[in-house]
Amino acid sequence: MICSMSTSRTAQTAIEMVFILSVIFIGLILIVPAYTENNTNIAIVSSVRSSASKAIAYLNMGVMSDEEPYQILNPMLEEIHKAQGNPHLAIKTLKSEESKSAVNITINITTPFSSVANIADLNETIKDFIEKDLIRSFRFTNSSGSLIYGGKVVRIEVKVERG
């Protein structure tokens, strides 16, 4: 009789442990995907902000470099110096809209000078710099013309305006 009670208690303890472990695993299955998706979105937005800050610092400094990826900004730097000199560019807002498959980011950059804000191709050139810097510095990839990070398509829009 003693042997049979010990066996039934061991079996009951094993069943309780299996139940507890299954509750823990189900919790992990529900929590981990949400955490990793949120972490990917944060990494994307912070990387884009960092690249945008690099572009703005380069244009505000006004010293040309032939180093990649800065050389893409050199024609804009020449235009800025013809128009005003120091453009005093600054990020006003950075907005992101996230879904399961894409992150859309809009960056509003301000300058006190309308002559700088009206330079043709300035928005597109800054966007191109950001995309090249993300690929070079933050392990984003370019797949069929789309910027990809963590399985998500990243779309960037840049608007330089007087403000």
Side-chain angles (χ1 to χ4, degrees), residues 45 48-50 52 91-96 105-108:
V45 171
V48 169
R49 180 166 181 87
S50 176
I91 296 175
K92 181 178 181 181
T93 60
L94 188 142
K95 296 179 184 175
S96 67
I105 299 174
T106 304
I107 306 166
N108 289 331

Side-chain angles (χ1 to χ4, degrees), residues 13-132:
T13 303
I15 291 172
E16 289 172 354
M17 286 301 292
V18 167
F19 178 73
I20 290 169
L21 288 174
S22 66
V23 168
I24 291 170
F25 286 130
I26 289 171
L28 287 173
I29 289 170
L30 296 174
I31 293 170
V32 168
Y35 173 78
T36 56
E37 182 176 341
N38 191 34
N39 195 24
T40 300
N41 293 343
I42 290 169
I44 290 169
V45 171
S46 65
S47 298
V48 169
R49 180 166 181 87
S50 176
S51 291
S53 294
K54 285 181 187 179
I56 288 170
Y58 181 79
L59 293 171
N60 283 340
M61 189 178 310
V63 178
M64 285 191 192
S65 170
D66 288 332
E67 188 179 316
E68 275 291 328
Y70 295 103
Q71 66 187 18
I72 194 171
L73 295 172
N74 288 342
M76 293 301 107
L77 198 53
E78 290 176 9
E79 291 294 320
I80 287 170
H81 284 291
K82 288 179 193 172
Q84 187 61 41
N86 186 337
H88 299 288
L89 296 169
I91 296 175
K92 181 178 181 181
T93 60
L94 188 142
K95 296 179 184 175
S96 67
E97 295 177 13
E98 296 123 6
S99 69
K100 289 203 178 267
S101 62
V103 176
N104 299 319
I105 299 174
T106 304
I107 306 166
N108 289 331
I109 299 172
T110 61
T111 178
F113 308 110
S114 59
S115 59
V116 172
N118 294 329
I119 293 175
D121 298 326
L122 183 58
N123 298 334
E124 200 61 35
T125 303
I126 292 173
K127 176 187 169 199
D128 290 345
F129 171 86
I130 291 169
E131 289 177 353
K132 284 187 177 195

